[in-house]
Amino acid sequence: MDFERLLSTIRRHTQLTEQEEMKLCAILRIKKLKRKEFLVRVGDDARHEYFVNKGCLRTYYIDEKGTEHNTYFAIEGYWLSDIYSRTFNTPALCSIVALEDSELVHIPNIALEELLIDVPALERFFRISYQKSLATIHLKQIQLLSMNGCERYNYFREKYPEIDKRVPQKHIASYLGFTPEFFNTVRSKAIREKVLSSAKVGW
Amino acid sequence: MDFERLLSTIRRHTQLTEQEEMKLCAILRIKKLKRKEFLVRVGDDARHEYFVNKGCLRTYYIDEKGTEHNTYFAIEGYWLSDIYSRTFNTPALCSIVALEDSELVHIPNIALEELLIDVPALERFFRISYQKSLATIHLKQIQLLSMNGCERYNYFREKYPEIDKRVPQKHIASYLGFTPEFFNTVRSKAIREKVLSSAKVGW
């Protein structure tokens, strides 16, 4: 079973002994999903953490009018869960569906909580990860306040080129909070600006 | 020096030995601010964590047009920092100013990082705190998608009654992303609905 990508992600932040890595691997499972298959449906008991080995997944919320709002995309090397459900033991707020055939590492929450007490280096890894996520959300909040639609789309494409390539455009529009019509306008403008800025005066 | 509130906040999530509590207290300092005094100014080296013993503070970002956007309020028992600056060692993105005379516990980041390696129970406390913050942000993101202006204001008042009482209304309007005019409309509507729902038919 392939846990190497997950282990090397952890090793970038903290050092586990060989025995600690074995303890971690003992609670890990592999989960495979076909495209369009659900990992979590809203209302599920979603008390697990996942790590993406391969593939691409979409997290979304459905509002009272039945409109889907994308809140997160995950590709190789990303962590993934309904964090509210996992933290406060409530039914899932969002659904998570595979956009491509995917392979995930599955960590049951109860086993993870026990392991965190037993292996402080792992507690350290998750503390650093969560702190970085909070810091990144803080930066994003500020950037959104100072960017117009076109700037936000360009920022997304620069920051997440792989997601921009693999996720259907309608889902990116929903993630950015754009209507499909507004997204088309913004996209045309962004492409036009890119072409103009890379064009060379040849005479 | 009064570190009791901070210690009891930590004790709610994790258990420190007497010796560990002493190690923590050894790096803590008290910082007092007068109303309108700045704790952090945008661009500062803001590599510290703070805990509010007493008072009320406002974190805000200034956009390119010079408009202030409030991003966070902190009262007694809240943690406070420019988390991006503290995590990635960059200049502060936001300013933090006292809305009332305030007393804070000041934790220098370098000393805190060293202590977290030395005291795993403290690492655990911050991992749990950050995870809960991320979960709460996830819930808030979803609630914002499904609430109109009036519902958002009512939700804020129910969730943070103490902040609603102590923070000037113009700052709450900015936090909720409302213009002052829209805020006045929403506020009148919220008050009218509250009066109507609590009125008794007496004849």
Side-chain angles (χ1 to χ4, degrees):
Chain A
M1 287 203 268
D2 184 10
F3 304 136
E4 198 43 46
R5 188 192 282 267
L6 183 148
L7 291 173
S8 70
T9 299
I10 293 174
R11 283 182 207 127
R12 280 206 297 273
H13 293 290
T14 189
Q15 214 171 355
L16 300 184
T17 64
E18 202 173 322
Q19 202 195 2
E20 286 171 339
E21 287 200 355
M22 281 168 64
K23 279 186 185 174
L24 171 60
C25 289
I27 68 163
L28 304 179
R29 300 284 176 273
I30 292 289
K31 188 170 178 76
K32 294 188 180 192
L33 291 175
K34 287 279 172 205
R35 191 169 90 85
K36 295 192 177 180
E37 204 177 330
F38 280 83
L39 179 66
V40 172
R41 281 180 194 268
V42 62
D44 282 358
D45 267 0
R47 294 166 200 179
H48 312 284
E49 178 67 298
Y50 297 95
F51 177 86
V52 184
N53 259 352
K54 193 181 148 295
C56 179
L57 299 102
R58 168 172 80 97
T59 302
Y60 66 94
Y61 164 76
I62 303 178
D63 70 16
E64 287 168 6
K65 292 176 193 153
T67 308
E68 290 182 6
H69 301 270
N70 295 319
T71 58
Y72 187 66
F73 303 113
I75 55 173
E76 291 80 12
Y78 281 52
W79 295 88
L80 181 66
S81 69
D82 185 309
I83 194 165
Y84 194 86
S85 171
R86 190 165 76 77
T87 304
F88 295 112
N89 291 330
T90 61
L93 301 170
C94 289
S95 296
I96 305 176
V97 66
L99 293 172
E100 301 172 1
D101 292 353
S102 300
E103 182 184 287
L104 299 120
V105 181
H106 166 214
I107 319 176
N109 206 40
I110 292 176
L112 177 61
E113 285 291 336
E114 283 170 6
L115 196 65
L116 289 174
I117 294 171
D118 194 26
V119 182
L122 210 55
E123 190 83 87
R124 179 167 180 76
F125 168 76
F126 280 101
R127 192 270 300 171
I128 294 171
S129 298
Y130 294 153
Q131 185 177 334
K132 286 190 171 177
S133 294
L134 282 172
T136 307
I137 289 172
H138 177 61
L139 176 69
K140 192 177 160 189
Q141 183 188 17
I142 283 166
Q143 284 169 329
L144 289 182
L145 284 171
S146 57
M147 286 182 185
N148 64 32
C150 199
E151 287 165 339
R152 279 164 63 192
Y153 178 55
N154 281 333
Y155 177 79
F156 178 86
R157 294 178 77 191
E158 269 169 39
K159 187 91 180 162
Y160 310 106
E162 195 58 30
I163 291 176
D164 184 54
K165 253 189 273 171
R166 287 162 65 178
V167 171
Q169 299 287 313
K170 65 173 180 181
H171 291 318
I172 295 175
S174 154
Y175 174 82
L176 294 170
F178 299 163
T179 61
E181 296 73 28
F182 183 68
F183 183 67
N184 281 340
T185 311
V186 161
R187 197 164 164 250
S188 307
K189 196 166 171 239
I191 291 169
R192 203 164 53 237
E193 278 172 7
K194 200 170 176 184
V195 169
L196 282 174
S197 72
S198 64
K200 295 209 166 50
V201 181
W203 70 93
Chain B
M1 287 202 266
D2 185 9
F3 304 137
E4 198 44 46
R5 189 192 282 266
L6 182 148
L7 291 174
S8 70
T9 300
I10 293 174
R11 284 183 205 125
R12 279 207 297 275
H13 293 291
T14 190
Q15 215 170 353
L16 299 184
T17 64
E18 203 173 321
Q19 202 195 2
E20 287 172 338
E21 285 199 356
M22 281 168 65
K23 279 186 185 177
L24 171 60
C25 290
I27 66 163
L28 304 179
R29 300 284 177 271
I30 293 289
K31 188 169 179 76
K32 294 188 180 192
L33 291 175
K34 288 277 173 206
R35 192 169 90 86
K36 295 192 177 178
E37 204 176 330
F38 280 83
L39 179 67
V40 173
R41 281 182 195 267
V42 64
D44 281 357
D45 266 0
R47 295 166 200 178
H48 312 284
E49 177 66 299
Y50 297 95
F51 177 87
V52 184
N53 260 353
K54 193 180 148 296
C56 179
L57 299 103
R58 169 172 81 97
T59 302
Y60 66 94
Y61 165 76
I62 303 178
D63 69 18
E64 285 167 9
K65 293 176 192 152
T67 309
E68 290 182 5
H69 301 271
N70 294 319
T71 58
Y72 187 66
F73 302 114
I75 54 173
E76 291 81 10
Y78 281 52
W79 296 88
L80 181 67
S81 70
D82 186 309
I83 194 165
Y84 193 85
S85 173
R86 189 165 76 76
T87 305
F88 295 112
N89 292 330
T90 61
L93 301 170
C94 289
S95 295
I96 305 175
V97 66
L99 292 172
E100 300 172 3
D101 291 354
S102 300
E103 182 184 287
L104 299 119
V105 181
H106 166 213
I107 319 176
N109 207 39
I110 292 175
L112 177 62
E113 285 291 337
E114 283 170 5
L115 196 64
L116 288 175
I117 294 170
D118 195 26
V119 182
L122 209 56
E123 189 83 86
R124 180 169 179 74
F125 168 76
F126 280 102
R127 191 270 300 170
I128 294 170
S129 297
Y130 294 153
Q131 186 176 334
K132 285 189 173 178
S133 295
L134 282 173
T136 306
I137 289 171
H138 177 60
L139 176 69
K140 192 178 160 190
Q141 183 188 17
I142 283 167
Q143 283 168 330
L144 289 181
L145 285 171
S146 57
M147 285 181 185
N148 64 33
C150 199
E151 287 165 339
R152 278 163 65 190
Y153 178 55
N154 282 332
Y155 176 79
F156 178 86
R157 294 178 76 189
E158 268 169 40
K159 186 92 179 164
Y160 310 106
E162 194 58 30
I163 291 177
D164 184 53
K165 254 189 273 172
R166 288 161 65 179
V167 170
Q169 299 288 312
K170 66 174 179 181
H171 291 318
I172 294 176
S174 155
Y175 174 81
L176 294 170
F178 298 163
T179 61
E181 297 73 27
F182 183 67
F183 183 67
N184 282 339
T185 313
V186 161
R187 196 163 164 252
S188 308
K189 196 165 171 240
I191 291 168
R192 203 164 51 239
E193 278 172 7
K194 199 170 177 185
V195 170
L196 282 175
S197 71
S198 63
K200 297 210 166 50
V201 182
W203 68 91

